[in-house]
Amino acid sequence: MQILQVEGSLVCTSRVEGMKHSVFRIVRDANGKRQVATDPVGAKPGNWVFLASGSAARYAAGDFEILTDLTIAGIIDEWPPGETIGAGS
Amino acid sequence: MQILQVEGSLVCTSRVEGMKHSVFRIVRDANGKRQVATDPVGAKPGNWVFLASGSAARYAAGDFEILTDLTIAGIIDEWPPGETIGAGS
Amino acid sequence: MQILQVEGSLVCTSRVEGMKHSVFRIVRDANGKRQVATDPVGAKPGNWVFLASGSAARYAAGDFEILTDLTIAGIIDEWPPGETIGAGS
Amino acid sequence: MQILQVEGSLVCTSRVEGMKHSVFRIVRDANGKRQVATDPVGAKPGNWVFLASGSAARYAAGDFEILTDLTIAGIIDEWPPGETIGAGS
Amino acid sequence: MQILQVEGSLVCTSRVEGMKHSVFRIVRDANGKRQVATDPVGAKPGNWVFLASGSAARYAAGDFEILTDLTIAGIIDEWPPGETIGAGS
């Protein structure tokens, strides 16, 4: 599962029905490349998260019929490992 | 889900039956790399969209039997975030 | 869906049973990287095609039991867009 | 299947329900890029492992309902091939 | 489907049950990047093969319950095309 950082939320008023009332987050990798993920766990900007992709993303969204390919599966307590979040920059 | 920009439509008269009467868009990333996506939401050239890939793309196409691996799932209201579309270049 | 160019056919006498009597094409991207795709539409060397990957590739092959992960889904009438095939180089 | 090295475990107290009580490992490739994988085999830091991705990852996790896209499928006895682990650096 | 070259076999005594008695091969691309694939066709070191990935890999393994994401689907008779194997270096 990819490890990405939450940047913020995404505003999107025009979407396919299968997206329902999902919450979307913009997530980015270390190089700044951004993707859109559904978020059933309530991650906040700055959080490092790991994400389920592919068909697992639909299950992880809490409703198999949500048509996502990327879902936040958990918030990482500290990242990089060994460094407490909040202690650093 | 990938974030890409719509470039235009694709003309394709010879296709497998499973594509039915899908509308195809050419979409490209920041580096100019192009892909073909099915479009059930009516995106326009210049729109920034996010796309469902893999098996989710078939569901998102509105008909599970459309044989796509990439479907436009929503039009992003402003991109990059915080910049109103139409206000910039 | 990826956009690739057909280079030629592939000769392969030793294959798993699940491939049946599929026609295989060698396809390559702009950087020359080659892949193998099943071809139910009869594409010719030089054609630009778009291809379904993943589980959609099996459906697109016209028989879900063909064990491919990449199938030519359509031949693009003109590529790059706006340039008639045959008119350019 | 990818070949990656186990770096350590991941602490994650906030996760979607579908992850259940999975053990998570941080794994990295030769370039240092890290991912998160579920681990049903008990790999240790430093082990070289190969991993099932996609829908196979859910089956490999020992419970199809664990919502992972990457699972350690086996520990490689020696890596690189021909070099006994423990004999080198 | 990817085109890769077989490098050799992989010894792995600790694996998840879903791998059963599969034969594993180490395969590499032109850049030397290695992956692990299941091999139901009996490829030999040096052979150029094409491989089914994703869910097709499980079917191609000859048993849908083998938890692989990469399976050798066929041995290419000559590679690069037009060059008889054995005639070159």
Side-chain angles (χ1 to χ4, degrees), chain A residues 55-76:
Chain A
S55 53
R58 291 210 299 284
Y59 290 105
D63 178 345
F64 187 70
E65 299 189 351
I66 292 180
L67 303 175
T68 183
D69 64 15
L70 192 66
T71 297
I72 296 175
I75 301 172
I76 300 175

Side-chain angles (χ1 to χ4, degrees), chain C residues 13-81:
Chain C
T13 48
S14 175
R15 57 174 86 171
V16 296
E17 287 196 11
M19 286 298 177
K20 301 184 176 177
H21 300 293
S22 306
V23 173
F24 297 112
R25 304 287 182 211
I26 300 172
V27 288
R28 63 179 172 196
D29 65 15
N31 296 323
K33 183 168 188 274
R34 288 149 163 168
Q35 296 182 77
V36 172
T38 45
D39 176 13
V41 299
K44 292 185 171 41
N47 280 170
W48 284 95
V49 295
F50 62 95
L51 304 100
S53 64
S55 52
R58 291 209 299 284
Y59 290 104
D63 177 347
F64 187 70
E65 298 189 351
I66 292 181
L67 303 176
T68 183
D69 65 14
L70 191 67
T71 297
I72 296 176
I75 301 172
I76 300 176
D77 291 356
E78 46 179 64
W79 189 260

Side-chain angles (χ1 to χ4, degrees), chain A residues 7 26 34, chain B residues 48 76 78-85:
Chain A
E7 182 174 296
I26 299 172
R34 289 150 163 166
Chain B
W48 284 95
I76 301 176
E78 46 179 64
W79 188 260
E83 182 175 305
T84 307
I85 288 180

Side-chain angles (χ1 to χ4, degrees), chain D residues 2-5 27-34 48, chain E residues 33:
Chain D
Q2 294 180 71
I3 299 168
L4 299 169
Q5 188 174 31
V27 287
R28 62 179 173 196
D29 65 16
N31 296 323
K33 183 167 187 276
R34 289 150 164 166
W48 284 95
Chain E
K33 184 168 188 275

